[in-house]
Amino acid sequence: MPGTIPTIGERFPEIEVVTTKGLLRLPDTYKGKWLVLFSHPADFTPVCTTEFVAFARRYQDFKELNTELLGLSVDSSYSHIKWIEWIKEKVGVDIPFPIIADPVGSVASKLGMLHAQSATHTVRSVFIIDPNGVIRAILYYPAELGRNIDEILRMIKALQISDQYKAAMPANWPNNELIGERVIVPPPTTREGAEERLRQYTCFDWWFCHKEVPSSEAEVARKFLERAAKKQ
Ligand code: BEZ
């Protein structure tokens, strides 16, 4: 049974998990930090190996966004340990974050991560959980498509800006086609509010107003986009 996917806006379910770095309580262990919990279909598989290397290479960028990483697959701790040893030995990359051991798939099932046609393979899911333990974004990718890790970094930065400046983020932020790196002012709730917005902000209309955020914030996200576009 694939299980039910928790919803954006809900508090992440309380679960105790066994990981390659010991027992952790979710979401409380990560209180005060952002968390990217991601599942991969299985250890010792090529696409997953490329994803682990990409996450590890960007670990410092996640840290700078006050963000921790946590992997999961329906495999044992032994398998996770052997696989990360293999990655270190063969491609010279240290995996610095813990991986949840879920040998019978109970955690994966609880989080709706299992593929509908498989009792043992998780899809490539990503849960972005905020410092209060609330699920803020969920991504779902199939086994045959590796994730864009720089996009995950861009999402976290954009969510942080959204919280800090009480704004919504446009498509492709910070390179939006209509408003560039500017951000969208939340909708008004009163007629007076609608009129006030026209005086206070730059607007296409009363329901579409935008404002500036410091360019240094946009630069951080732009760096992720540029790296994603660059040939390695
Ligand atoms: C992979 O990570 O390479 C993979 C895993 C499961 C199915 C297909 C590919």
Side-chain angles (χ1 to χ4, degrees):
M1 277 291 282
T4 311
I5 307 168
T7 312
I8 288 174
E10 275 180 349
R11 195 172 145 76
F12 190 83
E14 284 181 17
I15 325 178
E16 199 167 74
V17 289
V18 176
T19 81
T20 47
K21 292 187 188 277
L23 212 60
L24 301 177
R25 289 191 70 82
L26 301 181
D28 288 353
T29 299
Y30 294 96
K31 196 170 165 36
K33 290 180 183 291
W34 290 75
L35 172 65
V36 174
L37 167 63
F38 65 96
S39 59
H40 61 281
D43 294 346
F44 294 100
T45 50
V47 179
C48 302
T49 302
T50 62
E51 289 190 323
F52 265 57
V53 168
F55 271 120
R57 288 249 168 93
R58 289 156 181 78
Y59 189 60
Q60 192 51 36
D61 290 321
F62 283 103
K63 285 281 209 201
E64 283 167 19
L65 297 180
N66 186 31
T67 302
E68 292 295 336
L69 298 173
L70 179 59
L72 179 151
S73 67
V74 180
D75 286 296
S76 67
S77 290
Y78 293 119
S79 169
H80 290 332
I81 290 165
K82 286 312 286 178
W83 183 39
I84 61 179
E85 278 177 7
W86 186 95
I87 294 173
K88 173 77 182 155
E89 193 187 313
K90 302 291 183 192
V91 292
V93 174
D94 241 327
I95 301 302
F97 50 83
I99 313 166
I100 297 173
D102 191 22
V104 295
S106 53
V107 180
S109 171
K110 190 160 188 182
L111 298 173
M113 290 169 162
L114 289 170
H115 194 284
Q117 262 88 52
S118 170
T120 55
H121 281 180
T122 37
V123 298
R124 299 184 196 282
S125 69
V126 179
F127 288 81
I128 300 180
I129 302 158
D130 76 14
N132 298 317
V134 174
I135 300 168
R136 298 292 298 276
I138 300 172
L139 298 174
Y140 253 57
Y141 280 48
E144 63 272 25
L145 175 60
R147 287 159 281 207
N148 182 330
I149 314 305
D150 289 313
E151 167 59 4
I152 298 171
L153 283 160
R154 189 195 73 98
M155 288 176 75
I156 295 166
K157 183 65 188 171
L159 286 166
Q160 292 176 348
I161 296 293
S162 169
D163 286 357
Q164 189 178 349
Y165 296 95
K166 300 198 179 355
M169 312 304 283
N172 296 332
W173 184 82
N175 295 338
N176 177 257
E177 289 75 3
L178 295 178
I179 60 172
E181 66 187 45
R182 294 168 70 85
V183 299
I184 296 167
V185 181
T189 51
T190 61
R191 189 89 193 275
E192 292 72 29
E195 281 168 17
E196 176 57 24
R197 285 157 52 99
L198 290 169
R199 284 189 289 276
Q200 204 179 342
Y201 301 108
T202 309
C203 301
F204 287 103
D205 207 327
W206 61 267
W207 50 269
F208 187 172
C209 299
H210 46 99
K211 65 179 181 181
E212 201 172 57
V213 290
S215 263
S216 55
E217 305 280 28
E219 270 320 306
V220 174
R222 199 166 280 124
K223 188 184 80 183
F224 304 139
L225 289 178
E226 281 164 6
R227 182 171 51 200
K230 216 164 74 190
K231 197 168 166 212
Q232 295 297 306

